[in-house]
Amino acid sequence: MRSRTAWLAFVLMAALAAVGMAVAASDDKKDGDSSKSPSGKDNRDGARGRRGGFQRGRGVSADQIVERLNSFDKDKDGKITKNELPERMQDLIARGDTNKDGTLDKNEIKALAAKLQREGGAAAFAGRGGRGGAGPRGGGGRAGFGPGAGLERALDDLKLSDKKKETAEDALKTYHDNVRKLMELARADLLLKMKNVLSEEEFKKFKETTDCSPPPPAGFRPR
Amino acid sequence: MYNRTPWSAFALMAALAAVRMAVAAPPSNDGATIGGGSNILPKPSTERTLRLPNPPFNYVDVELPAHFKTPAARRFDNTPSYNALSDNGATLGRVLFYDTRLSVNNTIACGSCHEQKRAFSDPKRVSKGFEGQLGDRNAMSLINLRYQPRGRFFWDERARSLEEQVLMPIQSKMELGQDLKGLTEILAKDDHYPELFRKAFGDSAISRERIARALAQFLRAMVSYQSKFDEGLAKARSVRSDFDNFTAQENRGKNLFSRNCASCHMPRGQTAHFIMIRPLNNGLDADIKNSDGGIGDLTLNGLQVGLFKSPSLRNVEFTAPYMHDGRFATLEAVIDHYSTGVKPHPNLSGRLRRRLNFSTEQKAALVAFLKTLSDQKFIADPRFSDPFQ
């Protein structure tokens, strides 16, 4: 019974994670923000409620996101270039510039926003490398707002008793630990194979690239 | 062979996972920028003398108070198994942290914007880069970074581990502007670094990965745990009891904090870590178009626009100005914001939709309590100080 429950909980968590939950949007269930569509036109912008507080918001709409990015369009030509964006946002150009003109226009921004939301937001952090990043790397879906974080949040949402939650969190920590170790193993396996393929100099460069590949999923870490 | 290896290794790993790793060291934090509060930059590290104790400082065997050792508190530790803290590793990290050669023009180091006396934050509203260029965010304080369970850093959490984070300001064109390959070559030619790397990692090879690991170790070693709050809690029956070493106002502030702030800033049934588990929107701006979008600016996710990470509240007295853009100069201004200044936002945290409406006395009590989180020993600890003299 116990193992069945655990299995069901896992399936539930995996399903929730796959939906690409916008973890950060809701710091807890009270926020309730993340269950709403970000594209609702009837966005109330947290309008004042009856008790002098603010009503529940529904996220920022796609149009507002386009408007936000367009605020960086310094020369008002309708296109955003890399130099117009803060350094931390410049990766967006490479990710969304589908016509390869080195800029983002309104349609590309909308398409990119939709794509990133499908990927649960984690994609924004994937492949970030070189300057401002930690080196070339792929993946990225693990941490950030990816499945790992989804599992953590799904567990929070179950509202378990303290003792039960502690045990469940231990299990989840072990899961993260195992995934991380598998990643380390995969890297070691990759390097082993590459050693037979690449010259010494090529291997050295390749290894340097993998040295700063994303570490383990965040969330629960070894104590 | 390849197929079999992973599974046997997985079994080994599963066994290893059952073994609880006992790590015992301190914490730390985020990005770097430039310029001390005094606007007087120290001489480049190359014009000063590196002085290190022999044997190295103790970073590993630190006796933390009981409230740091509870299962709930220990669960916050983000130390990865591949980068356990060592005295020599943290020592190397300390040297790197203060070495101005980490900037491309040898003018600033991580420690230039993360001043120890400011609990490793920058008193400037926004920090300056290696050529004096201004950033657009306040440098986060580097306190107890080890105990941030999401293990993500920067205001927008764009770094997914401390090891990843520490390399980003070095390479940033706005901050240190350095090239990592060039940096490894510079360090390899130095009189001290090959030996420091050998002590830390077993051989003198210098790589970006090792630089990252050493810096992360130093940052995780920075644990603040000797505040008035910690002393009071050690003698009290529980965090809810009045602390004998607190004034009446401080105890009142503690109760107010417990009722109004602790659910975000002291989460998950522990009393050691004053951090938020997840980023949120705290109603700083209603203007979505022209305000920093935080995480949402990177993900373009409508539900993440306006969300920011929060640094630890430990030593918050020293880390002014506050918020991601340093807009609040004082703790009183911060409390005023949460009391009556929260603005509507589609992603505003649910806990902030109710006006707190603190009285003047309540605000003063909250500020008094926050100041009990100050740790004078931490901000003067020679283990975290500039080793170049």
Side-chain angles (χ1 to χ4, degrees), chain B residues 243-301:
Chain B
F243 289 1
D244 290 344
N245 65 333
F246 273 21
T247 64
Q249 187 187 45
E250 288 165 347
N251 272 318
R252 189 177 181 210
K254 180 166 71 68
N255 293 334
L256 282 165
F257 181 87
S258 177
R259 286 201 301 273
N260 297 286
C261 320
S263 56
C264 287
H265 288 286
M266 194 195 270
R268 290 190 176 168
Q270 53 79 40
T271 53
H273 311 307
F274 290 80
I275 68 139
M276 286 186 352
I277 293 291
R278 298 195 179 92
L280 55 72
N281 178 278
N282 63 348
L284 289 172
D285 298 295
D287 178 0
I288 294 163
K289 179 182 174 185
N290 296 303
S291 307
D292 191 331
I295 293 172
D297 272 354
L298 304 179
T299 64
L300 306 189
N301 185 327

Side-chain angles (χ1 to χ4, degrees), chain A residues 65-81:
Chain A
I65 287 175
V66 171
E67 199 180 18
R68 162 73 184 144
L69 282 199
N70 279 335
S71 72
F72 294 101
D73 181 15
K74 295 186 183 81
D75 59 9
K76 306 294 177 196
D77 66 347
K79 295 180 175 182
I80 302 161
T81 62

Side-chain angles (χ1 to χ4, degrees), chain A residues 28 31 53 87 133 156 219 223, chain B residues 21 149 171-172 278 350-351 353:
Chain A
D28 62 20
D31 288 359
E87 187 178 27
D156 281 348
R223 293 174 194 172
Chain B
M21 296 185 55
Q171 300 171 93
S172 165
R278 298 195 179 92
R351 288 175 173 139
R353 292 199 181 103

Side-chain angles (χ1 to χ4, degrees), chain B residues 322-377:
Chain B
Y322 305 102
M323 305 297 159
H324 65 273
D325 52 6
R327 68 178 62 189
F328 297 134
T330 63
L331 283 174
E332 286 78 5
V334 174
I335 303 293
D336 277 342
H337 166 72
Y338 288 114
S339 180
T340 54
V342 172
K343 296 181 180 63
H345 190 284
N347 294 324
L348 179 64
S349 169
R351 288 175 173 139
L352 296 173
R353 292 199 181 103
R354 175 178 61 90
R355 292 251 190 239
L356 296 173
N357 290 320
F358 294 126
S359 67
T360 305
E361 291 74 23
Q362 287 174 322
K363 290 178 193 174
L366 274 168
V367 171
F369 168 70
L370 289 173
K371 289 181 178 177
T372 69
L373 302 178
S374 299
D375 180 350
Q376 297 288 348
K377 290 177 184 167

Side-chain angles (χ1 to χ4, degrees), chain A residues 24-25 28 31 33 48 53-54 60 68 87 124 133-135 137 144 156 166 180-181 189 215 218-219 223, chain B residues 2 13 21 75 81-82 136 149-150 152 160 171-173 208 278 291 297-298 302-303 307 350-351 353 355:
Chain A
D28 62 20
D31 288 359
D33 307 335
R48 295 298 295 268
F54 299 115
V60 170
R68 162 73 184 144
E87 187 178 27
R137 61 176 190 269
D156 281 348
E166 198 168 302
R180 180 182 49 73
K181 286 173 179 171
D189 182 54
R223 293 174 194 172
Chain B
Y2 281 128
M13 290 187 303
M21 296 185 55
R75 205 170 290 119
S81 60
Y82 65 86
D136 58 355
R150 278 165 70 85
R152 294 165 204 165
R160 294 172 299 158
Q171 300 171 93
S172 165
K173 293 171 190 169
R208 51 191 287 161
R278 298 195 179 92
S291 307
D297 272 354
L298 304 179
L303 294 167
L307 304 191
R351 288 175 173 139
R353 292 199 181 103
R355 292 251 190 239

